[in-house]
Amino acid sequence: MLIFTLWSSFSQTVQERKSNASLYAGIIENSYARAIESVEASLLAVSEEMHLYEIGLIGEQELMASTRRILGFAPHIRQVVIFKDDRLVFDSAKNRSREIDRSQIKLGQPIDTNDALKIGEQIFSRFLPVIGDPPVDNKRRSLIPLSLTLPIFNDDADSKYELIAALNTSYFIDIIEDLKLLPEDKVGVYGFIPNQKTKFILGTSDLNNDALNGSLINQLLKDGAEQSSTNLYSGIFEQETIVIQLLEKFPLAVVVTLCHDGTFWSWLGRNLPLILGLSAISTLIAFSVYRVRREYEKSTRLKEQIKLLSAALHQSPVSVLITDAERSIRYINPAFTSVFGYDFDEVENKNPRLLRSNETEASVYQEMWGNLNKGDSWLGEFINKTKDGRRVYVTASISPVLNETGELTHYIGVLFDTTSSKENEKQLRLAATVFNSATEAVMVTDAENRILTVNNAFTDITGHEQNDVIGLSPSILNSGHQDQTFYEDMYANLNDKGFWGGEIWNRRKSGEVYPEWLTITSLYDSDGNLEGYVSLFSDITKRKQDEEHIIRQANFDSLTGLANRNLFADRFTRAIDRAEREDHQVALLFIDLDRFKNVNDTLGHAVGDLLLQRVTKRLLGELRKTDTAARLGGDEFAAILPNIVNMYNLERIVKRILKSLSTPYNIDGHEIFISASIGITLYPDDAKITTELLRNADSAMYMAKDKGRNAFHYYTRELSEQAEKRHQLESALHHGLENDEFHVYYQPITDMSNSRTACAEALVRWNHPELGFISPDDFIPLAEEIGLIVPMGELILRKACLQAVKWIEEIGSNAPGVAVNMSSFQFQRQHIPTLVKEILINTGLPATKLTLEITERLLIVDTDEILQQLQEIRELGVGLSIDDFGTGYSSLSYLKKFPITKLKIDKAFIQDMETDEENMALVDSILNMAKSLKLEVVAEGVETQEQEDILRERGCDFVQGYLHSRPLYRKDFMTYLINKN
């Protein structure tokens, strides 16, 4: 029964050690992950300072000062160096002229999702090694390199920064050594690449079973878990337990190896008093029974038993001390000598008081002698000292020994060394003190997520007392800011990985909602069963407020809330980078208020500030969501307009800004009239460097002021002239429609089978009274862009149909039909079948005499709405022809899908087909394809008889070009018809 009880006690100790090992592995993992994250944040901060230094915004002394300030918040970083394209540009610890020995810095694979962060092998050196320095053989003076590679946001897009931080190894070792581990236990950190060999990085000692640990780590990765526990046996006894914890964000593994030999001796030290006490009592009882029942035996047998008892005392692991009645020492066993350091010769005939340390209360001795003088045994504790003066905690069992007549003859003391147990108790008290004095809140729950305990910081942060929350669910803290999906994902992560960390909003007892940084770790027993959760969190309200304040101060103008110069420069650089990738333009507007100084001088700066705020509101109201507005200082503003597709949209925005800013302001009863002058420059047309573009926009702004203010001006004369010409043409287009300045000309399309005019293409011509003849290539695209193509197209269609009716009246049923070009914008902005049907009815033109010419551009849109319109047009009996076929996205698929009746071969293929074999091959291909699809073909641009003969030989149906006639006005075309037909 005694053995079973002791074995159960030892097994329970082993299980407790295993549970603690899982917790320690999680603590190490959490500490290391946070340390690496803080290193990464520090390196990012240093890189930002380095970037400011590189672009000349700060000097070298400011760079060093800011870097020291950043590193002051990262005590585990001993040194930071920065390489730009493998060239050392900064060293926080040494003269930058000394070259770092890169060959000794062995970096591993990237350990983050951006392939930028790497961790290297341990280097035995206080700082990163310099070429020519001798090696250091001191394991306490070592470091671990951690590398972060970042792009440089300037005009050199291929350049990169590499920041290498030298991490203080002792910082990480101290985290391990602060844990309650036995000297025989081992802790190591490994880097790994899945399914490859692991690499030992650091630990309390070099582990001898690296191969085993590597295979266990790979198995853990394969299982998709975050923590595992493996037991190694020697026979039926557990020899070691290996607990592995993976870091959530980094390919690092914490390996905690428990040596159960140490577990046994630790357990024995705590329980030895009980074991020996029971043994001593059993021995005394057996001895007493032996004397009562065996006193008649021979003296030789008695001597033999006494000898055996003496041997047992001599070999006992517990200290035994025997004195005579006068308290003089008569016997000590070897265990006594081992604990206190005295040999028998040194204590013989001396009083046991030589062991006193004077730290035991006098009342203890009074109680002891009170019991002994009454003939009773005494059990209690002493603080004794050894021969060399070392303090020893002792649990003593002292008994008086009486002879047959009841006379006192000796005292027997059994002394148990409980120093180790006392130290363990001290460690537990320290842990409890840390738990309750920590500034970070700690909450422990069971497997059903009921709160078991919380610390004082929990009460300070949440307002809930410990007794108020024990047994409740952590949901009492829910603020409602996170939905159910958020918590489902959290617990799914805990179940899969055993860890979750992130920002969360909770509610205090007072009802106040606050942000906190929360980490939760799952606790498992040795069999992998969930035991509960440990949650650590801190209130980050002040940090978030400070961050927001710093960000606003660093990036925004305090008066208007617009971006300041710093943020504006960053946004402008990003816009240029994006424009370069996506191949589009970026416009920069430099805006200066006209006559603002008069407002300050006459009405005061307070009114001036209010005016700037009103200007800001109006400016933002005219910009797009993708644009960025900034105040550069005083009354100077700027705006970034990315993704400029055409100049019309840009000018429209600029004109709206000028109109809005020039509208009178009413401030404090004063009616204020100001305007603005805007300079415009374009990337990449005008320049590709930010500073040059800013100078360009500034120069253009002064040009606008020279024009009389309340105006805008482009940096380049060509753009200004183009904009002016465009503006003039746009105005003329509106008046041209109103004044019926557009006329329709007709070019005949000849039937190759009978040489008669089968049809005529209607072509719009514009002869402006002041600007003269304007090419359709100039005004048709502009009309499409500004929406005038709809009324213009309707006008041309109506005139062409009326003219075709007159041909029928003059010539008869053999009169040619008419082909009218239709823009894809017309199909997108109106229902063409309805328009065509209405014009055919009003003019009386038969549908078979009308063909609508469309481009491949319309078919590429390929929407159900376009297809439906084309089918409705064909149902009216109107023909459909694809104009300029072969110059766009020519595809058999849409020829089959859409109800097309004719193809028009573009004149570019006809002009040189006599001499250009490729053009001839293309013409043949189009003719063959049309024949197979039963489509008629019109060849455009036929100018020679040879071209017509070639087309006739190849079966072309119709030809159109200068060989037969140029486009003619209606009277001339009627004459042509009479003479031709």
Side-chain angles (χ1 to χ4, degrees):
M1 185 65 182
L2 176 61
I3 294 175
F4 175 76
T5 301
L6 295 176
W7 176 253
S8 298
S9 174
F10 175 67
S11 298
Q12 183 178 359
T13 300
V14 171
Q15 294 302 319
E16 290 175 354
R17 287 253 291 153
K18 289 180 180 180
S19 298
N20 289 340
S22 297
L23 177 60
Y24 294 157
I27 291 172
I28 297 171
E29 180 269 338
N30 186 37
S31 300
Y32 280 28
R34 287 198 177 183
I36 294 175
E37 288 172 353
S38 69
V39 171
E40 183 177 9
S42 299
L43 291 181
L44 287 172
V46 172
S47 72
E48 292 175 1
E49 297 297 322
M50 188 63 200
H51 176 63
L52 296 178
Y53 171 73
E54 285 283 316
I55 63 176
L57 293 181
I58 63 173
E60 183 173 358
Q61 291 183 349
E62 294 172 297
L63 172 63
M64 292 297 291
S66 59
T67 302
R68 292 192 186 99
R69 185 168 57 254
I70 292 169
L71 297 183
F73 292 97
H76 41 287
I77 302 179
R78 187 179 291 160
Q79 177 188 8
V80 171
V81 298
I82 304 177
F83 291 90
K84 181 180 179 183
D85 298 331
D86 295 329
R87 176 175 60 87
L88 180 66
V89 295
F90 177 76
D91 187 342
S92 67
K94 297 184 179 181
N95 189 310
R96 70 176 61 182
S97 63
R98 300 192 66 191
E99 187 174 355
I100 299 295
D101 189 352
R102 295 293 296 272
S103 64
Q104 296 190 45
I105 304 176
K106 299 178 181 179
L107 298 171
Q109 295 294 318
I111 63 172
D112 69 348
T113 57
N114 295 321
D115 291 337
L117 196 64
K118 304 176 183 178
I119 189 166
E121 299 180 11
Q122 188 174 3
I123 300 173
F124 295 106
S125 175
R126 181 168 176 79
F127 296 101
L128 292 173
V130 176
I131 294 178
D133 281 359
V136 177
D137 187 15
N138 185 343
K139 293 189 176 181
R140 292 298 293 183
R141 297 188 62 175
S142 61
L143 58 89
I144 296 176
L146 189 144
S147 168
L148 179 64
T149 303
L150 297 171
I152 301 175
F153 297 104
N154 56 27
D155 56 321
D156 189 1
D158 294 331
S159 295
K160 290 185 177 180
Y161 281 138
E162 182 182 14
L163 294 83
I164 302 178
L167 307 187
N168 189 349
T169 309
S170 61
Y171 174 85
F172 296 94
I173 295 298
D174 289 343
I175 293 175
I176 299 172
E177 292 181 347
D178 287 342
L179 301 175
K180 296 188 299 180
L181 295 171
L182 297 178
E184 296 84 2
D185 297 335
K186 301 176 182 179
V187 177
V189 178
Y190 288 80
F192 61 81
I193 302 174
N195 300 321
Q196 296 186 29
K197 186 176 181 180
T198 59
K199 181 67 178 179
F200 177 79
I201 294 178
L202 60 89
T204 55
S205 63
D206 293 339
L207 303 183
N208 298 324
N209 51 352
D210 285 347
L212 173 60
N213 291 340
S215 64
L216 292 176
I217 291 171
N218 283 323
Q219 183 60 43
L220 182 58
L221 291 170
K222 181 179 180 181
D223 295 340
E226 289 296 321
Q227 188 182 86
S228 68
S229 179
T230 302
N231 298 317
L232 303 181
Y233 289 87
S234 176
I236 64 172
F237 297 100
E238 290 186 51
Q239 183 180 11
E240 289 184 342
T241 295
I242 301 176
V243 177
I244 299 176
Q245 173 75 49
L246 300 183
L247 271 69
E248 179 183 12
K249 296 183 179 179
F250 309 107
L252 298 175
V254 176
V255 179
V256 178
T257 302
L258 303 181
C259 177
H260 291 309
D261 287 343
T263 306
F264 172 76
W265 290 114
S266 174
W267 169 82
L268 183 62
R270 292 195 305 270
N271 294 278
L272 194 57
L274 175 62
I275 296 171
L276 293 180
L278 292 174
S279 299
I281 292 171
S282 299
T283 302
L284 290 173
I285 292 173
F287 180 68
S288 300
V289 171
Y290 172 80
R291 290 192 61 186
V292 170
R293 299 184 60 184
R294 301 293 183 179
E295 61 181 0
Y296 60 89
E297 294 184 359
K298 297 180 179 180
S299 60
T300 54
R301 181 71 178 271
L302 180 59
K303 290 180 180 180
E304 182 180 352
Q305 292 297 323
I306 293 173
K307 183 178 180 181
L308 290 173
L309 179 60
S310 177
L313 292 174
H314 191 75
Q315 298 174 11
S316 172
V318 182
S319 301
V320 178
L321 171 72
I322 300 176
T323 69
D324 58 19
E326 285 72 30
R327 306 171 196 172
S328 296
I329 298 174
R330 297 301 183 188
Y331 173 83
I332 60 172
N333 67 346
F336 181 96
T337 301
S338 175
V339 172
F340 295 98
Y342 291 103
D343 292 328
F344 180 70
D345 294 340
E346 296 176 284
V347 298
E348 185 179 9
N349 295 323
K350 292 185 178 179
N351 193 290
R353 67 169 61 95
L354 63 86
L355 301 177
R356 290 187 180 182
S357 64
N358 297 324
E359 296 185 42
T360 304
E361 297 290 336
S363 59
V364 174
Y365 294 106
Q366 293 172 359
E367 177 189 349
M368 176 189 71
W369 287 116
N371 282 23
L372 295 177
N373 290 335
K374 291 188 294 184
D376 297 332
S377 297
W378 178 84
L379 180 66
E381 294 183 346
F382 294 131
I383 302 177
N384 285 346
K385 67 177 180 179
T386 62
K387 177 181 178 181
D388 56 9
R390 181 173 54 87
R391 178 191 297 172
V392 179
Y393 290 91
V394 172
T395 296
S397 175
I398 304 176
S399 301
V401 179
L402 306 177
N403 60 17
E404 295 82 353
T405 61
E407 181 183 1
L408 176 68
T409 61
H410 296 86
Y411 293 101
I412 297 179
V414 179
L415 310 179
F416 307 97
D417 183 359
T418 59
T419 304
S420 177
S421 298
K422 291 293 184 181
E423 291 296 328
N424 290 338
E425 292 175 5
K426 180 180 179 181
Q427 292 298 322
L428 290 174
R429 288 195 302 273
L430 288 174
T433 302
V434 171
F435 177 81
N436 287 312
S437 62
T439 57
E440 193 172 32
V442 181
M443 176 176 63
V444 182
T445 62
D446 59 17
E448 286 73 37
N449 209 22
R450 294 187 297 264
I451 298 175
L452 297 176
T453 185
V454 296
N455 68 347
N456 295 333
F458 176 94
T459 300
D460 295 337
I461 293 174
T462 67
H464 291 283
E465 296 292 339
Q466 184 182 52
N467 293 336
D468 297 334
V469 298
I470 299 299
L472 300 180
S473 169
S475 61
I476 61 172
L477 304 177
N478 286 359
S479 64
H481 278 222
Q482 295 82 216
D483 57 17
Q484 185 62 29
T485 303
F486 175 89
Y487 291 103
E488 289 174 357
D489 292 341
M490 173 193 291
Y491 283 102
N493 209 48
L494 282 171
N495 292 334
D496 294 340
K497 302 178 180 180
F499 176 83
W500 183 89
E503 184 177 311
I504 188 172
W505 289 78
N506 273 342
R507 188 183 304 276
R508 307 187 206 275
K509 185 177 182 180
S510 62
E512 176 190 356
V513 176
Y514 69 100
E516 69 180 32
W517 184 262
L518 170 66
T519 58
I520 306 175
T521 302
S522 301
L523 300 178
Y524 299 93
D525 61 18
S526 59
D527 296 327
N529 299 317
L530 180 68
E531 289 186 328
Y533 304 95
V534 175
S535 303
L536 292 86
F537 61 87
S538 56
D539 188 344
I540 58 173
T541 303
K542 183 64 167 58
R543 189 186 77 186
K544 294 184 73 68
Q545 291 172 345
D546 293 342
E547 289 174 352
E548 182 179 353
H549 181 67
I550 291 171
I551 290 173
R552 291 205 61 82
Q553 279 190 329
N555 296 289
F556 293 93
D557 175 56
S558 59
L559 177 63
T560 64
L562 296 177
N564 61 13
R565 283 184 178 270
N566 292 335
L567 182 58
F568 176 81
D570 181 71
R571 295 274 179 86
F572 197 23
T573 300
R574 293 177 184 271
I576 289 175
D577 292 342
R578 187 163 54 251
E580 185 175 5
R581 291 193 304 270
E582 301 174 2
D583 193 24
H584 62 71
Q585 292 178 306
V586 177
L588 172 62
L589 309 184
F590 198 100
I591 306 169
D592 185 84
L593 301 183
D594 302 325
R595 297 180 297 276
F596 177 78
K597 184 176 184 298
N598 295 336
V599 176
N600 273 340
D601 293 343
T602 58
L603 301 179
H605 289 278
V607 174
D609 289 346
L610 291 174
L611 177 59
L612 291 175
Q613 292 173 346
R614 299 281 183 86
V615 167
T616 297
K617 185 176 180 180
R618 292 188 183 183
L619 176 60
L620 292 175
E622 302 303 333
L623 293 177
R624 304 169 300 180
K625 291 183 178 180
T626 55
D627 302 334
T628 296
R631 182 186 178 213
L632 303 183
D635 62 339
E636 293 181 348
F637 296 81
I640 305 167
L641 281 65
N643 198 21
I644 297 300
V645 178
N646 57 66
M647 302 304 296
Y648 173 76
N649 288 337
L650 173 60
E651 289 186 19
R652 181 167 52 83
I653 295 173
V654 173
K655 289 177 182 178
R656 286 207 316 259
I657 293 173
L658 288 174
K659 181 179 179 181
S660 176
L661 298 187
S662 62
T663 303
Y665 301 81
N666 195 318
I667 301 176
D668 288 347
H670 303 284
E671 190 173 23
I672 301 174
F673 296 86
I674 64 168
S675 59
S677 299
I678 302 178
I680 307 172
T681 188
L682 293 174
Y683 170 89
D685 297 2
D686 300 337
K688 294 186 177 181
I689 301 176
T690 303
T691 53
E692 291 184 10
L693 289 166
L694 286 169
R695 286 197 299 268
N696 293 349
D698 187 58
S699 300
M701 183 271 294
Y702 282 106
M703 295 178 190
K705 283 189 179 292
D706 292 339
K707 289 171 64 175
R709 296 184 172 85
N710 194 25
F712 68 92
H713 198 283
Y714 289 97
Y715 173 69
T716 58
R717 178 177 299 175
E718 292 79 10
L719 282 175
S720 294
E721 292 175 352
Q722 180 182 348
E724 186 64 31
K725 181 180 178 181
R726 177 191 177 85
H727 177 72
Q728 187 179 22
L729 185 60
E730 178 182 342
S731 178
L733 268 174
H734 286 278
H735 293 296
L737 283 172
E738 295 171 1
N739 300 331
D740 196 21
E741 296 174 1
F742 297 94
H743 302 288
V744 181
Y745 281 60
Y746 303 91
Q747 187 174 29
I749 299 174
T750 303
D751 189 336
M752 295 282 280
S753 64
N754 55 25
S755 298
R756 295 179 62 86
T757 303
C759 189
E761 181 178 0
L763 300 168
V764 64
R765 295 293 183 264
W766 183 19
N767 190 7
H768 191 270
E770 296 178 2
L771 301 177
F773 178 80
I774 301 174
S775 171
D777 293 337
D778 292 331
F779 69 82
I780 292 295
L782 179 59
E784 290 179 336
E785 188 173 299
I786 64 178
L788 289 181
I789 194 65
V790 173
M792 181 183 293
E794 183 176 341
L795 174 67
I796 295 168
L797 178 61
R798 194 176 299 277
K799 285 186 175 184
C801 289
L802 285 171
Q803 187 61 47
V805 171
K806 291 182 180 180
W807 295 337
I808 295 174
E809 293 172 354
E810 293 287 336
I811 299 175
S813 60
N814 291 330
V818 66
V820 182
N821 291 283
M822 302 295 290
S823 168
S824 61
F825 289 92
Q826 291 177 261
F827 282 85
Q828 295 170 8
R829 299 181 184 182
Q830 63 185 141
H831 191 256
I832 298 301
T834 301
L835 173 66
V836 171
K837 184 177 180 180
E838 182 265 325
I839 291 177
L840 290 176
I841 293 173
N842 291 341
T843 61
L845 179 69
T848 56
K849 291 293 186 179
L850 176 63
T851 299
L852 301 184
E853 293 191 2
I854 60 177
T855 63
E856 293 166 299
R857 175 181 176 183
L858 176 63
L859 303 184
I860 293 173
V861 176
D862 193 13
T863 63
D864 294 338
E865 182 182 356
I866 298 297
L867 176 60
Q868 180 65 30
Q869 289 195 54
L870 295 178
Q871 289 174 342
E872 290 179 19
I873 291 171
R874 285 296 296 128
E875 290 171 2
L876 293 173
V878 177
L880 289 173
S881 174
I882 298 181
D883 197 13
D884 300 332
F885 185 77
T887 60
Y889 183 72
S890 304
S891 170
L892 283 173
S893 63
Y894 65 62
L895 289 179
K896 293 176 63 178
K897 180 177 181 180
F898 293 92
I900 306 301
T901 58
K902 286 183 182 178
L903 298 180
K904 295 188 74 174
I905 304 176
D906 187 71
K907 62 183 180 180
F909 303 120
I910 302 299
Q911 289 175 351
D912 300 323
M913 69 177 182
E914 309 100 302
T915 58
D916 191 327
E917 293 181 358
E918 291 183 358
N919 279 0
M920 190 70 256
L922 286 171
V923 171
D924 284 338
S925 298
I926 294 173
L927 289 170
N928 293 331
M929 178 181 64
K931 186 180 296 183
S932 65
L933 295 174
K934 298 180 181 181
L935 299 176
E936 295 180 331
V937 178
V938 180
E940 291 182 297
V942 177
E943 299 181 355
T944 67
Q945 188 62 48
E946 182 181 2
Q947 292 172 345
E948 187 177 62
D949 293 340
I950 293 173
L951 291 167
R952 181 180 286 109
E953 291 174 1
R954 283 163 168 74
C956 184
D957 302 297
F958 303 95
V959 293
Q960 175 185 352
Y962 285 1
L963 176 63
H964 292 278
S965 176
R966 293 174 177 272
L968 302 170
Y969 195 51
R970 61 176 183 267
K971 292 181 180 180
D972 298 329
F973 186 80
M974 179 62 72
T975 302
Y976 171 85
L977 286 178
I978 294 173
N979 294 335
K980 183 72 174 177
N981 297 334

